[in-house]
C-alpha cells in the first residue's frame, strides 16, 4: 500500500502496517488533554519563574526577547516529533528499490558457408556507404563472403544480451566459437573467415552435416529460445543418392524440429549462376527452414542481406520480465530518530530551556 503515490520522493516508500498511522490522529487529542489538565491543576506546574525572567536584563530593558525565550517551545516540538516518528516506525516503513529487469536472451548459432563459390564477386556492393556503416575499416566488401561477414557482424552488434556461436562449413562443419556473450571475440572470428580454394579437397557444400552439428551445439543450451541462421550460396552436394550415409538437409531439419531449434536459411546470390555452372537449387534449404518453424530468405545484394537479418532480429527478440522491487526495512532509522528527538527534547526541557508553564 503506497499512501503517498502522488508525490515524487514518497513514491519509493511503502508501509507494511499502515493502520498504525491512525495513531497520528490521537496526538492532537493527547496534547489537548495535557494542556487542559495542566490548566486545571491536575498536573503541577514546575516551580520556576516564567520564561520572560530568563532574559538578560539588557534584553528586558530593550524589549528584545532572548534566544531562550524564542526556543522555549522547542523541547515540546521535539517530543511531538519524536512521537510522530515512533508512530512511523510502528507502521513498518520500507524503501522500495527497483531491481534491473531480467533479460532472458536467446541462443543463436551463425552457420556460414565457406565453399569457394562464396568468393564470387557478383553480389552488389554498396561501396563506401556500406563500409562506413560497418564501423571497421579493415573490412573490404568485394565478395559474397565479405558481404555475409559484414551483415553478420552488424547483427551480432545488435544482439547484446544473446549468446551467439559461430560455425563454418564446406564439406565438413567446424565450430569456430561456442555460445558466448563475448561478442568482441566472436566478431574477430568472423573477420578471419576465408573461403576455400577451389582446388581444395574440402571444397563442397555439406548443409545437412553443418545443420546437425549446429543442433548438437545448441542441444544442451539453457536458453528459452534456440535459433540457427544458415547462410549459403549453394545447394547440398555432399549428401546425395550416391552417399546414403551422409546427413541430408531435411534429416537435419527433423533433428532441429525435435530439439525445438528454429532455422532461418539465407541463400546469398539469389538464383545467379557462377561461371558455366547451373544456378543452385535452394528448395532444400527453403523446405528445412519451414519445417523447423523458421523462414527462408533469398538475397542478391548487401541491402537485401541486411534486410534479411533485420527481419530475423524482429522475429527473435529476447523476453523481458516485469520490473521487480526489493524492500529494505527502514523502521530502525525512524525509531533511532524518534529516540534522539525525545531525548533532545527531554534534556533541553530540563536544562537550558527549562521554564515554568
Amino acid at each position: 500500500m503506497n499512501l503517498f503515490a502522488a508525490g515524487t520522493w514518497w513514491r519509493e516508500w511503502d508501509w507494511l502496517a499502515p493502520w498504525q498511522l491512525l495513531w497520528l490522529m490521537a496526538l492532537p487529542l493527547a496534547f489537548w488533554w495535557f494542556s487542559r489538565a495542566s490548566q486545571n491543576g491536575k498536573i503541577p506546574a514546575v516551580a520556576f519563574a516564567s520564561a520572560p525572567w530568563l532574559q538578560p536584563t539588557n534584553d528586558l530593558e530593550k524589549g528584545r526577547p532572548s534566544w531562550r525565550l524564542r526556543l522555549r517551545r522547542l523541547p515540546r516540538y521535539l517530543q511531538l516529533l519524536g512521537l510522530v516518528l515512533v508512530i512511523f516506525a510502528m507502521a513498518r516503513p520500507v524503501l522500495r528499490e527497483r531491481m534491473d529487469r531480467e533479460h532472458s536472451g536467446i541462443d543463436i548459432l551463425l552457420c556460414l558457408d565457406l565453399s569457394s563459390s562464396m568468393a564470387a564477386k557478383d553480389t552488389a556492393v554498396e561501396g563506401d556507404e556500406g563500409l562506413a556503416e560497418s564501423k571497421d575499416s579493415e573490412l573490404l566488401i568485394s565478395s559474397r563472403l565479405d558481404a555475409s561477414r559484414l551483415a553478420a557482424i552488424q547483427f551480432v552488434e545488435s544482439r547484446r544480451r544473446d549468446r551467439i556461436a559461430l560455425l563454418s562449413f564446406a564439406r565438413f562443419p567446424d565450430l569456430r566459437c561456442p555460445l558466448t556473450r563475448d561478442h568482441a571475440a566472436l566478431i574477430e572470428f568472423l573477420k578471419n573467415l576465408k573461403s576455400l580454394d577451389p582446388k581444395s579437397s574440402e571444397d563442397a557444400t555439406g548443409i545437412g552435416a553443418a545443420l546437425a552439428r549446429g543442433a548438437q551445439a545448441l542441444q544442451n543450451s539453457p536458453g528459452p529460445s534456440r535459433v540457427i541462421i544458415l547462410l549459403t550460396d549453394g545447394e547440398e552436394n555432399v549428401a546425395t543418392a550416391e552417399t546414403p550415409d551422409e546427413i541430408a538437409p531435411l534429416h537435419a531439419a527433423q533433428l532441429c524440429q525435435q530439439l525445438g531449434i528454429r532455422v532461418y536459411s539465407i541463400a546469398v546470390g539469389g538464383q545467379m549462376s557462377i561461371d558455366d555452372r547451373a544456378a543452385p537449387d535452394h528448395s532444400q534449404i527453403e523446405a528445412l527452414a519451414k519445417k523447423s518453424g523458421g523462414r527462408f530468405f533469398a538475397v542478391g545484394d548487401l541491402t537485401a542481406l541486411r534486410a534479411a537479418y533485420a527481419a530475423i532480429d524482429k522475429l527473435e527478440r529476447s523476453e523481458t520480465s516485469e520490473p521487480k522491487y526489493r524492500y529494505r526495512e527502514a523502521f530502525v532509522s525512524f525509531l533511532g530518530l524518534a529516540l534522539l528527538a525525545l531525548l533532545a527534547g527531554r534534556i533541553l526541557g530540563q536544562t537550558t530551556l527549562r521554564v515554568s508553564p
Side-chain angles (χ1 to χ4, degrees), residues 32-336:
W32 173 82
W33 178 86
F34 181 85
S35 301
R36 184 75 177 271
S38 177
Q39 292 175 2
N40 294 337
K42 295 181 180 179
I43 299 179
V46 181
F48 284 90
S50 60
W53 291 100
L54 295 177
Q55 301 180 96
T57 306
N58 293 337
D59 289 338
L60 283 174
E61 294 175 353
K62 297 177 181 179
R64 292 181 304 181
S66 68
W67 64 270
R68 285 190 178 91
L69 181 60
R70 291 170 180 160
L71 298 178
R72 68 185 185 276
R73 293 188 178 89
L74 180 60
R76 183 171 297 182
Y77 292 153
L78 287 173
Q79 290 178 342
L80 176 61
L81 175 62
L83 292 177
V84 170
L85 291 173
V86 167
I87 294 175
F88 281 170
M90 292 168 56
R92 296 282 305 279
V94 291
L95 180 62
R96 293 196 311 163
E97 296 178 349
R98 183 164 181 163
M99 302 173 63
D100 293 336
R101 292 188 176 190
E102 296 181 358
H103 300 272
S104 52
I106 65 177
D107 292 335
I108 302 173
L109 183 135
L110 302 177
C111 188
L112 270 64
D113 186 356
L114 294 186
S115 59
S116 61
S117 59
M118 290 291 290
K121 304 182 184 299
D122 58 0
T123 300
V125 178
E126 294 181 349
D128 294 340
E129 180 183 353
L131 184 61
E133 291 185 7
S134 72
K135 300 179 183 178
D136 196 328
S137 58
E138 297 178 4
L139 287 178
L140 298 176
I141 308 171
S142 61
S143 65
R144 291 177 176 178
L145 180 58
D146 294 334
S148 300
R149 289 189 304 170
L150 173 57
I153 288 173
Q154 292 173 339
F155 177 78
V156 169
E157 290 174 341
S158 68
R159 310 288 301 198
R160 297 181 179 179
R161 298 185 181 92
D162 300 325
R163 297 197 308 166
I164 305 178
L166 175 62
L167 183 144
S168 63
F169 71 95
R171 178 178 292 275
F172 305 107
D174 183 11
L175 184 63
R176 300 291 183 117
C177 179
L179 287 169
T180 181
R181 286 192 176 92
D182 187 356
H183 293 175
L186 178 65
I187 289 174
E188 289 301 317
F189 280 107
L190 280 165
K191 291 178 182 177
N192 294 326
L193 291 180
K194 296 180 180 180
S195 58
L196 292 178
D197 189 286
K199 298 179 181 179
S200 173
S201 60
E202 295 186 10
D203 185 25
T205 307
I207 297 174
L211 198 57
R213 181 66 182 91
Q216 183 185 28
L218 294 180
Q219 181 176 4
N220 297 320
S221 66
S225 182
R226 293 170 291 180
V227 172
I228 294 178
I229 301 177
L230 171 70
L231 187 145
T232 181
D233 68 340
E235 59 182 281
E236 176 70 48
N237 56 20
V238 175
T240 62
E242 291 76 20
T243 55
D245 294 335
E246 298 291 344
I247 303 174
L250 290 181
H251 293 160
Q254 290 176 353
L255 175 62
C256 291
Q257 185 182 33
Q258 293 173 1
L259 297 176
I261 300 173
R262 284 186 297 279
V263 180
Y264 293 90
S265 55
I266 303 175
V268 179
Q271 297 295 324
M272 302 175 67
S273 60
I274 300 175
D275 300 328
D276 294 329
R277 291 176 286 181
D281 179 12
H282 296 145
S283 59
Q284 280 189 322
I285 62 173
E286 182 177 3
L288 70 85
K290 292 180 179 179
K291 188 175 185 62
S292 65
R295 282 183 58 184
F296 168 74
F297 302 88
V299 300
D301 55 33
L302 182 56
T303 301
L305 183 55
R306 284 173 170 157
Y309 272 110
I312 297 172
D313 183 61
K314 291 180 180 179
L315 290 170
E316 297 293 341
R317 301 306 303 177
S318 57
E319 298 179 357
T320 303
S321 63
E322 293 297 323
K324 295 182 179 180
Y325 298 87
R326 59 184 174 188
Y327 293 90
R328 182 164 58 86
E329 291 276 4
F331 77 92
V332 174
S333 300
F334 278 83
L335 190 58

